[in-house]
mmCIF file of all heavy atoms in Angstrom:
data_model
loop_
_atom_site.group_PDB
_atom_site.id
_atom_site.type_symbol
_atom_site.label_atom_id
_atom_site.label_comp_id
_atom_site.label_asym_id
_atom_site.label_seq_id
_atom_site.Cartn_x
_atom_site.Cartn_y
_atom_site.Cartn_z
ATOM 1 N N GLY A 10 -3.250 22.814 6.325
ATOM 2 C CA GLY A 10 -4.296 23.824 6.168
ATOM 3 C C GLY A 10 -5.503 23.250 5.465
ATOM 4 O O GLY A 10 -5.737 22.039 5.466
ATOM 5 N N MET A 11 -6.258 24.135 4.808
ATOM 6 C CA MET A 11 -7.498 23.728 4.177
ATOM 7 C C MET A 11 -7.303 22.586 3.191
ATOM 8 O O MET A 11 -7.913 21.537 3.284
ATOM 9 C CB MET A 11 -8.110 24.951 3.475
ATOM 10 C CG MET A 11 -9.525 24.784 3.035
ATOM 11 S SD MET A 11 -9.791 23.668 1.662
ATOM 12 C CE MET A 11 -8.999 24.526 0.326
ATOM 13 N N ILE A 12 -6.356 22.773 2.259
ATOM 14 C CA ILE A 12 -6.246 21.763 1.202
ATOM 15 C C ILE A 12 -5.445 20.552 1.686
ATOM 16 O O ILE A 12 -5.637 19.437 1.180
ATOM 17 C CB ILE A 12 -5.677 22.371 -0.103
ATOM 18 C CG1 ILE A 12 -6.201 21.602 -1.317
ATOM 19 C CG2 ILE A 12 -4.185 22.438 -0.103
ATOM 20 C CD1 ILE A 12 -7.650 21.823 -1.619
ATOM 21 N N ASP A 32 3.316 20.597 9.938
ATOM 22 C CA ASP A 32 2.876 21.973 9.671
ATOM 23 C C ASP A 32 3.656 22.850 10.635
ATOM 24 O O ASP A 32 3.873 22.459 11.791
ATOM 25 C CB ASP A 32 1.359 22.115 9.902
ATOM 26 C CG ASP A 32 0.819 23.439 9.371
ATOM 27 O OD1 ASP A 32 1.185 24.511 9.945
ATOM 28 O OD2 ASP A 32 0.041 23.435 8.407
ATOM 29 N N SER A 33 4.087 24.022 10.157
ATOM 30 C CA SER A 33 4.870 24.893 11.032
ATOM 31 C C SER A 33 4.025 25.412 12.194
ATOM 32 O O SER A 33 4.566 25.883 13.196
ATOM 33 C CB SER A 33 5.473 26.054 10.231
ATOM 34 O OG SER A 33 4.502 26.599 9.376
ATOM 35 N N LYS A 37 -2.110 23.307 14.556
ATOM 36 C CA LYS A 37 -2.744 22.757 13.350
ATOM 37 C C LYS A 37 -2.267 21.334 13.073
ATOM 38 O O LYS A 37 -3.043 20.470 12.690
ATOM 39 C CB LYS A 37 -2.433 23.639 12.141
ATOM 40 C CG LYS A 37 -3.360 24.831 11.988
ATOM 41 C CD LYS A 37 -3.065 25.495 10.671
ATOM 42 C CE LYS A 37 -4.197 26.368 10.204
ATOM 43 N NZ LYS A 37 -3.930 27.011 8.934
ATOM 44 N N VAL A 69 1.370 23.993 1.057
ATOM 45 C CA VAL A 69 1.767 25.147 1.879
ATOM 46 C C VAL A 69 1.608 26.422 1.043
ATOM 47 O O VAL A 69 1.392 26.348 -0.171
ATOM 48 C CB VAL A 69 3.243 24.993 2.329
ATOM 49 C CG1 VAL A 69 3.407 23.805 3.266
ATOM 50 C CG2 VAL A 69 4.158 24.850 1.122
ATOM 51 N N PRO A 70 1.742 27.595 1.646
ATOM 52 C CA PRO A 70 1.667 28.835 0.856
ATOM 53 C C PRO A 70 2.633 28.819 -0.331
ATOM 54 O O PRO A 70 3.712 28.221 -0.258
ATOM 55 C CB PRO A 70 2.033 29.912 1.882
ATOM 56 C CG PRO A 70 1.590 29.332 3.194
ATOM 57 C CD PRO A 70 1.857 27.863 3.086
ATOM 58 N N ASN A 71 2.233 29.501 -1.404
ATOM 59 C CA ASN A 71 2.945 29.400 -2.684
ATOM 60 C C ASN A 71 4.453 29.666 -2.586
ATOM 61 O O ASN A 71 5.241 29.029 -3.274
ATOM 62 C CB ASN A 71 2.327 30.372 -3.697
ATOM 63 C CG ASN A 71 0.857 30.090 -3.934
ATOM 64 O OD1 ASN A 71 0.351 29.041 -3.513
ATOM 65 N ND2 ASN A 71 0.154 30.997 -4.597
ATOM 66 N N HIS A 74 6.568 26.670 -2.048
ATOM 67 C CA HIS A 74 6.497 25.520 -2.964
ATOM 68 C C HIS A 74 7.880 25.092 -3.450
ATOM 69 O O HIS A 74 8.234 23.914 -3.360
ATOM 70 C CB HIS A 74 5.594 25.842 -4.166
ATOM 71 C CG HIS A 74 4.134 25.827 -3.828
ATOM 72 N ND1 HIS A 74 3.140 25.834 -4.782
ATOM 73 C CD2 HIS A 74 3.491 25.810 -2.639
ATOM 74 C CE1 HIS A 74 1.953 25.814 -4.187
ATOM 75 N NE2 HIS A 74 2.151 25.815 -2.886
ATOM 76 N N GLU A 91 1.136 21.150 -4.797
ATOM 77 C CA GLU A 91 -0.054 21.971 -5.081
ATOM 78 C C GLU A 91 0.260 23.070 -6.105
ATOM 79 O O GLU A 91 1.395 23.469 -6.277
ATOM 80 C CB GLU A 91 -0.601 22.585 -3.779
ATOM 81 C CG GLU A 91 -1.785 21.839 -3.195
ATOM 82 C CD GLU A 91 -2.951 21.658 -4.185
ATOM 83 O OE1 GLU A 91 -2.988 22.337 -5.224
ATOM 84 O OE2 GLU A 91 -3.819 20.823 -3.913
ATOM 85 N N LYS A 92 -0.797 23.532 -6.761
ATOM 86 C CA LYS A 92 -0.647 24.641 -7.701
ATOM 87 C C LYS A 92 -0.632 25.949 -6.951
ATOM 88 O O LYS A 92 -1.161 25.973 -5.828
ATOM 89 C CB LYS A 92 -1.770 24.652 -8.757
ATOM 90 C CG LYS A 92 -3.206 24.440 -8.277
ATOM 91 C CD LYS A 92 -3.835 25.223 -7.184
ATOM 92 C CE LYS A 92 -3.888 26.707 -7.180
ATOM 93 N NZ LYS A 92 -4.668 27.264 -6.037
ATOM 94 N N TRP A 161 -1.463 35.314 3.595
ATOM 95 C CA TRP A 161 -0.479 35.043 2.541
ATOM 96 C C TRP A 161 -1.109 35.046 1.154
ATOM 97 O O TRP A 161 -0.460 35.461 0.191
ATOM 98 C CB TRP A 161 0.256 33.728 2.828
ATOM 99 C CG TRP A 161 -0.545 32.469 2.599
ATOM 100 C CD1 TRP A 161 -1.225 31.745 3.536
ATOM 101 C CD2 TRP A 161 -0.753 31.803 1.350
ATOM 102 N NE1 TRP A 161 -1.853 30.671 2.939
ATOM 103 C CE2 TRP A 161 -1.567 30.682 1.603
ATOM 104 C CE3 TRP A 161 -0.336 32.025 0.040
ATOM 105 C CZ2 TRP A 161 -1.973 29.797 0.595
ATOM 106 C CZ3 TRP A 161 -0.736 31.151 -0.961
ATOM 107 C CH2 TRP A 161 -1.546 30.047 -0.680
ATOM 108 N N HIS A 179 -5.797 26.983 -12.627
ATOM 109 C CA HIS A 179 -6.554 25.743 -12.880
ATOM 110 C C HIS A 179 -7.115 25.755 -14.299
ATOM 111 O O HIS A 179 -7.057 24.759 -15.014
ATOM 112 C CB HIS A 179 -7.733 25.624 -11.900
ATOM 113 C CG HIS A 179 -7.374 25.040 -10.564
ATOM 114 N ND1 HIS A 179 -6.744 23.824 -10.423
ATOM 115 C CD2 HIS A 179 -7.596 25.493 -9.296
ATOM 116 C CE1 HIS A 179 -6.581 23.556 -9.134
ATOM 117 N NE2 HIS A 179 -7.090 24.552 -8.432
ATOM 118 N N TRP A 215 -11.398 29.908 2.162
ATOM 119 C CA TRP A 215 -10.277 29.079 2.588
ATOM 120 C C TRP A 215 -9.192 29.911 3.243
ATOM 121 O O TRP A 215 -9.063 31.091 2.983
ATOM 122 C CB TRP A 215 -9.698 28.377 1.372
ATOM 123 C CG TRP A 215 -10.694 27.490 0.715
ATOM 124 C CD1 TRP A 215 -11.827 26.968 1.288
ATOM 125 C CD2 TRP A 215 -10.678 27.019 -0.624
ATOM 126 N NE1 TRP A 215 -12.489 26.192 0.375
ATOM 127 C CE2 TRP A 215 -11.817 26.202 -0.804
ATOM 128 C CE3 TRP A 215 -9.801 27.193 -1.683
ATOM 129 C CZ2 TRP A 215 -12.101 25.565 -1.998
ATOM 130 C CZ3 TRP A 215 -10.084 26.559 -2.878
ATOM 131 C CH2 TRP A 215 -11.216 25.750 -3.034
ATOM 132 N N SER A 216 -8.379 29.254 4.061
ATOM 133 C CA SER A 216 -7.242 29.839 4.762
ATOM 134 C C SER A 216 -7.704 30.795 5.875
ATOM 135 O O SER A 216 -8.894 31.102 5.988
ATOM 136 C CB SER A 216 -6.319 30.569 3.793
ATOM 137 O OG SER A 216 -5.066 30.790 4.397
HETATM 138 N N1 NAD B 401 -6.096 22.308 -5.689
HETATM 139 C C1 NAD B 401 -6.909 23.202 -5.189
HETATM 140 O O1 NAD B 401 -8.063 23.296 -5.589
HETATM 141 C C2 NAD B 401 -6.412 24.113 -4.104
HETATM 142 C C3 NAD B 401 -7.339 24.720 -3.261
HETATM 143 C C4 NAD B 401 -6.854 25.540 -2.243
HETATM 144 C C5 NAD B 401 -5.485 25.758 -2.101
HETATM 145 N N2 NAD B 401 -4.610 25.173 -2.973
HETATM 146 C C6 NAD B 401 -3.159 25.394 -2.839
HETATM 147 O O2 NAD B 401 -2.706 24.686 -1.686
HETATM 148 C C7 NAD B 401 -1.720 25.428 -0.984
HETATM 149 C C8 NAD B 401 -2.189 25.637 0.458
HETATM 150 O O3 NAD B 401 -3.425 26.329 0.439
HETATM 151 P P1 NAD B 401 -4.425 26.276 1.691
HETATM 152 O O4 NAD B 401 -5.732 26.819 1.209
HETATM 153 O O5 NAD B 401 -4.399 24.932 2.322
HETATM 154 O O6 NAD B 401 -3.729 27.327 2.635
HETATM 155 P P2 NAD B 401 -3.835 27.435 4.222
HETATM 156 O O7 NAD B 401 -3.370 28.793 4.568
HETATM 157 O O8 NAD B 401 -5.190 26.985 4.666
HETATM 158 O O9 NAD B 401 -2.786 26.329 4.731
HETATM 159 C C9 NAD B 401 -1.408 26.426 4.553
HETATM 160 C C10 NAD B 401 -0.748 25.691 5.730
HETATM 161 O O10 NAD B 401 0.660 25.630 5.501
HETATM 162 C C11 NAD B 401 1.295 25.817 6.763
HETATM 163 N N3 NAD B 401 2.687 26.216 6.503
HETATM 164 C C12 NAD B 401 3.163 27.433 6.143
HETATM 165 N N4 NAD B 401 4.490 27.353 5.935
HETATM 166 C C13 NAD B 401 4.845 26.079 6.162
HETATM 167 C C14 NAD B 401 6.084 25.358 6.133
HETATM 168 N N5 NAD B 401 7.229 25.955 5.777
HETATM 169 N N6 NAD B 401 6.076 24.039 6.439
HETATM 170 C C15 NAD B 401 4.931 23.422 6.781
HETATM 171 N N7 NAD B 401 3.742 24.043 6.863
HETATM 172 C C16 NAD B 401 3.703 25.348 6.540
HETATM 173 C C17 NAD B 401 0.440 26.855 7.457
HETATM 174 O O11 NAD B 401 0.637 26.840 8.869
HETATM 175 C C18 NAD B 401 -0.963 26.396 7.063
HETATM 176 O O12 NAD B 401 -1.496 25.474 7.994
HETATM 177 C C19 NAD B 401 -1.547 26.721 -1.774
HETATM 178 O O13 NAD B 401 -0.444 26.597 -2.624
HETATM 179 C C20 NAD B 401 -2.810 26.856 -2.597
HETATM 180 O O14 NAD B 401 -2.591 27.516 -3.815
HETATM 181 C C21 NAD B 401 -5.051 24.335 -3.944
#
Side-chain angles (χ1 to χ4, degrees):
M11 193 290 293
I12 209 71
D32 192 293
S33 45
K37 276 188 160 180
V69 294
N71 301 348
H74 285 193
E91 260 305 345
K92 45 52 54 175
W161 73 263
H179 276 305
W215 299 339
S216 197

